[in-house]
Every structure is written in C-alpha cells, then in structure tokens.
Amino acid sequence: MKITFKDSIKDLKGEVLFVSVDSKNKDETVKENGVKTLYLKCDETKMNLRKLYLLIRKMVVMAKGVKAKKLVFNFDDLRFKNIKISKYELGELIGSQLDFANYEFVKYKTPTKEGFNFIEEIIILGTDKEIEKAILKGHTIAEEVNKTRTLSNTPGGDMTPSILAKAAKEAVKNLPVKVTVLGEKEMERLNMRAILSVGRGSDEESRFIIMEYFGGKKGERTTVLVGKGVTFDSGGINLKPSSSLLGMNMDMSGGSAVIHTLALVAKMKLKQNVIGLIPSVENMASGKSYRPGDIIRSMSGITIEVLNTDAEGRVILADALTYAKKYNPEVILDVATLTGAAAVALGERASAIFTEDDELAKKLEEIGESTGDYVWRLPMWEEYENEIKGSLGDFTNVHNKDSRYGGASYGAIFLYQFIKGKAEGVKAPKWAHIDIAPRMTAMAGENLATGALGTPVRLLYKFIEQIK
Ligand code: BES
Ligand code: ZN
Ligand code: ZN
C-alpha cells in the first residue's frame, strides 16, 4: 500500500473513496452524484487513544469491504481535543494503523478474478513535511509488524527452525545486522542442552539464531531481545488435546517479533546496540522426545526437572537467557507465547509482563499504551520459587504440586532463575519477561485480520528508540 500526500482534492484522479468523520454519521458508504463517501461515526467528546486506533482501522476495513482501491481523508479529521499527543505522534500512529488494518494473510489463498481486497493507495490531505515524515515512519513500522504476522501465520509444515533462521537472514538482507545461526553440533559444544532436549523429539533440527546490530558505540549499553521460537508446539509427550493444537504454529511469535524488531531498528538507523536471540525448536512427540521426569543440565549449570514437556518455552529460554548474559547487557527483554494462564488472567486484551524492576515495568506500560501493544504487570515474587523447587533437580519446569494456579507467574519465576546469580563483579541486567500468549492472535472487534497480531514489535522498537 502506498501513502501519498496532496494539498487539495482537486488533484485527485480516478475513482476515490472519500472519508468523512462526524458524530452525526452512521457507519456507511454512500454514493451521491457519482462521488463515493465513507461516513464514519465518531463522537469527539468520547474519543481517546484506544478508540482512535479502532477508528483508523475501521476506516480501512470498511473501505476494503466495498472494494475501494483508493482512499482519501483529511489529517485534521483525526485530530481530537481529548487526545493529548503531538501531530507528529499522531502522524506516526496513523501511518502504522493504516497498514496494520490493510493486512491479510493471503499467501495460501487463490485470488478471485478481481484480486484481493487490498487498499492500494491512501491519500492524506492537510499535512506538512514533518507530519508526512512521521506518517511514513509509521508506515515503515507497520511493514515490519505485518512481516512478523506473516512469519507467525505460516503453517507449521512450512515454518521449521531452519526456515525461521533463513527468514531471519532474509529480514535483514542489506541491513547492517549480522546473523549467525548455530546448528545442533555448535549448540552441543556450548552445552545448550535445554534447547537440544526440547528439540530432540522432532525430525527437524533445532537452531539458535543470533542477530547483532551495533548502532551504538563499542562497549556502550546493549539491549538483548530474546524470542521464543517454537515452530510447532504439540506439547511433546504431554501431548496437547486436539482443541489446543490449532494455532500452535504461532508459538514462534516471540521469535518473529524479535527478528523484525531488529530489522526495524537497523532500518531506522537507531544509535543503539541491540542483540536478538531466538532459540528455535519443534516440540514433537516421538521415540526420541524428552520425557516427563527427565532432568536436564542447562547451559547455566542449573538442572531442570521436566514435569511437563508442554512447558517447553521456558526450557529453551533458559539457555537463551544464559547466552544473553555474554553481552553484559543493560537490559534483557524476553518475548514468548509462554502460558495459556496469562490469557486466563488477562483475557486477550493485554500481554503479561513480569519484572522486579518497577521503573522498567512502568516504562513498558506507558509505551504499551501509546503503541497499542498493551501490557499488564503480574506478580513474580520470590515466594513463587517454593513451588518450582525440584525434588531431584534444581527447579521444576511447572508447579511442583501440579497446580494450575498462577501458571503465568510460575513461568516467569522459572525464567528469573537464569537471570539472577550473575558472576561476581558483573552488574545484573534489568530484565522483563513479556508473555504474549494472550495477544498471539487478533480478537473479533479489533478491526484486524484474523490470525497473528505481530505484537510486541512496536513496543520493543519504541522501548529501544527511547533509551537515552
Ligand atoms: N505455547 C504454549 C502456551 C500457549 C497456549 C500459547 C495458548 C498461546 C496460546 C506453552 O508452551 C504451553 O503449552 N504452556 C502450558 C504450560 C503448562 C504445561 C504449565 C499451558 O499454558 O498450558
Ligand atoms: Zn507447550
Ligand atoms: Zn509453547
């Protein structure tokens, strides 16, 4: 989709759908005297940022509904008194939401004769050079979000660890990001037994994807992003029930988000050092699978008592977090579709975040609110550690009394074991765990295509952009 800018509607050629935003409207498209208009109802006095996201997306979805190819609106029509953001922030927001709403995963669909219903061009009136720059920046951000969605939406048969690794290279082609992919032999040499154990049940080889972008000065603060890259989660020997298997091709959504955040950071030439780490496996049930009761000595030396092979995300992240420390990072953020329990707690409206650091939590909440990648903090107190103490190993990968209560917090406190206990004399990194399972897919009413959401690329990107 193209975004262009014009001074007046007089310059428009061809069939165009005009947008009119007003409280007196009802949502409809009308053709009057040969002119097509999309009326959007919007009560200015009740507007807020969250509603603005929905409004912009509704505009695109309705236009697609009437097979419009060109859409035109006035920038000022989307400025509301109640919404206290600058016109540049608004520009970026508009730019990103237009593309976000125009996306659909059609790779496996046969087009009809008329083709797919995508908007081809959006013309915005009443902008200035700075606003235009902001809108185009939003457009670039959304492009990476949509590429994240495409990777996540890809069926498990076509998205294996080695394909994900290729996709990581492809995502940063011609960008100054170094991608190194470790195979199983290399992981063995590094003692990444936690990752290797989970991947063992699959015919597909596991991979450890390393993406390095040094936009800052050498030795300057580094941020490490870790993304869960389970390309299909069958549950393993603790096989999931049928109803829970569908959608588990998207269990690499944390990984795809990290891949495209790195691409975005490099595209925008941020002066930051950012590393992306994606442990990638397929969690399958076979004669070679890791078993309930197995005890794995992870790369850190900590042993993991596997009580449930379906809690595999935290097991592979254990080695990735250990590896992350090698960069002596200031901040580590991990992103994972880790627990159904996070969705039980929050519904599908926000990702769950866990951190010891109040300041970091606050920052993530604020950026979440301003980007639409909403997050909500859940507890990860030390007390939770009691329920993951192992009987034969150091820590169990699920609650040691087999309770389902507080599942998201137990996932987080397990990961925390691999963050704390840094070597002496080295400052512990700030760390937050982002459980995106609740926001893996779009909900009805969000004015977005069904399937993967591409969260939290915008949150991660803005977080890095705001580092001083
Ligand atoms: N990938 C799943 C979590 C998940 C569920 C993500 C639904 C997105 C939607 C994860 O590996 C898993 O299976 N977690 C278990 C943990 C349990 C065994 C403690 C879960 O949530 O049931
Ligand atoms: Zn699982
Ligand atoms: Zn999983």
Side-chain angles (χ1 to χ4, degrees), residues 213-216 221 265 270-274 464-465 467-468:
Y213 171 74
F214 294 107
R221 51 193 301 164
V265 164
L270 295 192
K271 290 190 170 53
Q272 299 288 340
N273 299 325
V274 187
I464 294 161
E465 198 185 57
I467 295 175
K468 289 196 191 74

Side-chain angles (χ1 to χ4, degrees), residues 233 240 310-312:
D233 181 11
K240 284 182 184 291
D310 195 12
E312 82 297 337

Side-chain angles (χ1 to χ4, degrees), residues 387-431:
E387 288 80 41
I388 57 160
K389 292 254 161 73
S391 55
L392 302 169
D394 296 330
F395 294 99
T396 56
N397 73 332
V398 293
H399 193 294
N400 55 22
K401 302 272 185 316
D402 204 23
S403 160
R404 291 197 348 253
Y405 294 163
S409 292
Y410 288 107
I413 199 75
F414 177 89
L415 296 176
Y416 179 58
Q417 306 312 312
F418 301 86
I419 292 290
K420 69 176 195 184
K422 287 236 27 167
E424 242 174 89
V426 188
K427 215 171 108 213
K430 291 178 192 158
W431 166 71

Side-chain angles (χ1 to χ4, degrees), residues 228 230 232-235 240 248 250-252 283 309-314 316 337-339:
K228 171 175 172 181
V230 176
F232 187 75
D233 181 11
S234 71
K240 284 182 184 291
M248 279 305 118
M250 286 182 252
D251 210 18
M252 34 57 78
N283 186 22
T309 61
D310 195 12
E312 82 297 337
R314 64 200 74 181
I316 64 168
T337 45
L338 207 77
T339 67

Side-chain angles (χ1 to χ4, degrees), residues 89-104:
E89 287 167 320
L90 177 61
E92 200 177 304
L93 188 159
I94 291 172
S96 68
Q97 293 305 309
L98 293 175
D99 279 279
F100 197 33
N102 197 28
Y103 174 89
E104 263 174 74

